[in-house]
């Protein structure tokens, strides 16, 4: 009888609001982790925007450092380039910057429309951080390598701007595959019913983005291939680092990386 009374008292206490309130998303151990990763994502994102706009003229190489493509890049370029490259460029921008984010983030949201803000942040932040880090690395490599774009080499649309020697590697490809891989990984961890749709739609969009970048005469095949691999690697690695699934251990001759994949 006493046990029943105690249970009823506990239930009444919870119902009356005496239970410990849930912390906001930015408090506590996990909240601090979210704030750190959100700050990192915003900081890198702003840095990328600055390097892509006001600082691009000063950071981009004036002359190509990698000017001549290998034979296989020339053959594939001549086979896939469109008669109207501007149309392919517009479609590639829509694919990478509009449709891919909508599919990746949108399908995660539809997986659990009644989710709390905490769940939405935990689902979306790995994708945004994957994009921020991979695009920052991509931008640094572009400025360092200085590869001439195909349209410069073949005279199909050069404008003399700072973008002409930023072909390697493809930022569009890294973006599309980064979104797809990180979103698919989150859906897999959550056991979301949308996981197969994220993989199917995302991979299709990513591959079409790569094709369109070649068709637009903006990139060679090697550019989109490496960019896609960077996006996949970023999408697999960065969300795991956020979850701390990967541990770097010291060994006799260096360091070893361990984790579950």
């Amino acid at each position: 009888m006493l046990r029943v009374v105690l249970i009823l008292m506990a239930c009444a206490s919870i119902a009356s609001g005496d239970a410990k309130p849930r912390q906001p998303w930015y408090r506590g151990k996990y909240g601090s982790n979210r704030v750190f990763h959100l700050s990192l994502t915003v900081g890198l994102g702003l840095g990328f925007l600055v390097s892509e706009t006001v600082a691009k003229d000063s950071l981009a190489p004036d002359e190509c450092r990698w000017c001549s493509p290998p034979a296989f890049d020339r053959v594939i370029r001549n086979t896939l380039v469109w008669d109207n490259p501007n149309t392919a460029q517009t479609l590639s921008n829509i694919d990478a910057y509009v449709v891919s984010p909508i599919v990746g983030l949108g399908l995660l949201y539809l997986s659990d429309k009644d989710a709390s803000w905490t769940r939405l942040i935990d689902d979306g932040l790995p994708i945004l951080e994957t994009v921020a880090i991979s695009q920052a690395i991509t931008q640094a490599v572009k400025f360092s390598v200085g590869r001439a774009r195909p349209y410069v080499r073949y005279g199909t649309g050069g404008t003399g701007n700072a973008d002409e020697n930023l072909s390697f590697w493809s930022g569009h490809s890294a973006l599309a595959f980064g979104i797809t891989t990180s979103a698919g990984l989150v859906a897999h961890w959550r056991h979301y019913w949308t996981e197969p749709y994220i993989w199917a739609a995302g991979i299709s969009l990513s591959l079409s983005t790569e094709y369109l970048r070649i068709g637009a005469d903006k990139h060679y095949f090697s550019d989109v291939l490496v960019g896609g691999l960077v996006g996949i690697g970023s999408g697999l690695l960065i969300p795991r680092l956020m979850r701390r699934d990967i541990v770097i251990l010291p060994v006799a001759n260096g360091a070893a990386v361990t984790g579950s994949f």
Side-chain angles (χ1 to χ4, degrees):
M1 181 65 180
L2 179 60
R3 182 179 301 175
V4 174
V5 172
L6 290 175
I7 292 174
L8 291 175
M9 290 177 62
C11 294
S13 175
I14 294 174
S16 63
D18 292 339
K20 184 179 179 179
R22 181 178 296 178
Q23 288 183 323
W25 66 269
Y26 52 86
R27 298 288 188 187
K29 174 184 175 182
Y30 298 105
S32 300
N33 194 47
R34 294 184 190 105
V35 170
F36 168 77
H37 287 287
L38 183 59
S39 301
L40 178 64
T41 300
V42 172
L44 289 174
L46 290 175
F48 171 78
L49 290 176
V50 170
S51 70
E52 187 65 20
T53 53
V54 296
K56 193 170 189 176
D57 288 339
S58 59
L59 293 174
D62 295 328
E63 297 181 356
C64 61
R65 302 187 183 105
W66 180 4
C67 304
S68 299
F72 73 91
D73 271 340
R74 292 197 301 269
V75 171
I76 296 175
R77 179 265 170 193
N78 292 335
T79 302
L80 299 183
V81 67
W82 285 24
D83 293 332
N84 187 353
N86 290 333
T87 301
Q89 179 181 349
T90 300
L91 292 174
S92 71
N93 289 337
I94 294 173
D95 253 11
Y97 292 116
V98 180
V99 183
S100 289
I102 289 175
V103 168
L105 293 168
L107 286 177
L108 283 181
Y109 171 74
L110 291 177
S111 303
D112 188 0
K113 292 187 292 185
D114 298 324
S116 64
W117 276 107
T118 301
R119 170 65 73 88
L120 293 176
I121 292 171
D122 288 344
D123 283 358
L125 190 53
I127 302 170
L128 298 177
E129 185 166 349
T130 296
V131 170
I133 293 176
S134 63
Q135 290 300 299
I137 295 172
T138 296
Q139 200 77 330
V141 172
K142 281 175 175 282
F143 292 140
S144 301
V145 173
R147 186 181 194 184
R149 292 189 184 272
Y151 69 77
V152 178
R153 172 76 176 177
Y154 294 95
T156 60
T159 58
N161 60 26
D163 199 52
E164 288 190 346
N165 298 313
L166 302 179
S167 187
F168 185 82
W169 56 68
S170 169
H172 284 66
S173 302
L175 173 65
F177 269 108
I179 292 173
T180 295
T181 307
S182 55
L185 197 60
V186 171
H188 179 73
W189 284 335
R190 297 289 199 190
H191 304 289
Y192 284 154
W193 63 270
T194 55
E195 181 188 354
Y197 303 100
I198 291 174
W199 287 116
I203 291 174
S204 298
L205 287 167
S206 300
L207 291 175
S208 68
T209 297
E210 293 192 337
Y211 163 70
L212 290 168
R213 294 307 284 170
I214 299 175
D217 221 16
K218 289 288 188 177
H219 288 289
Y220 294 104
F221 174 74
S222 57
D223 298 330
V224 300
L225 175 63
V226 175
L229 292 175
V230 169
I232 293 171
S234 301
L236 290 175
L237 178 64
I238 293 169
R240 292 180 185 277
L241 290 174
M242 292 180 65
R243 281 167 50 108
R244 300 177 183 177
D245 283 355
I246 295 177
V247 180
I248 301 177
L249 301 174
V251 295
N253 298 319
V257 178
T258 64
S260 57
F261 290 86

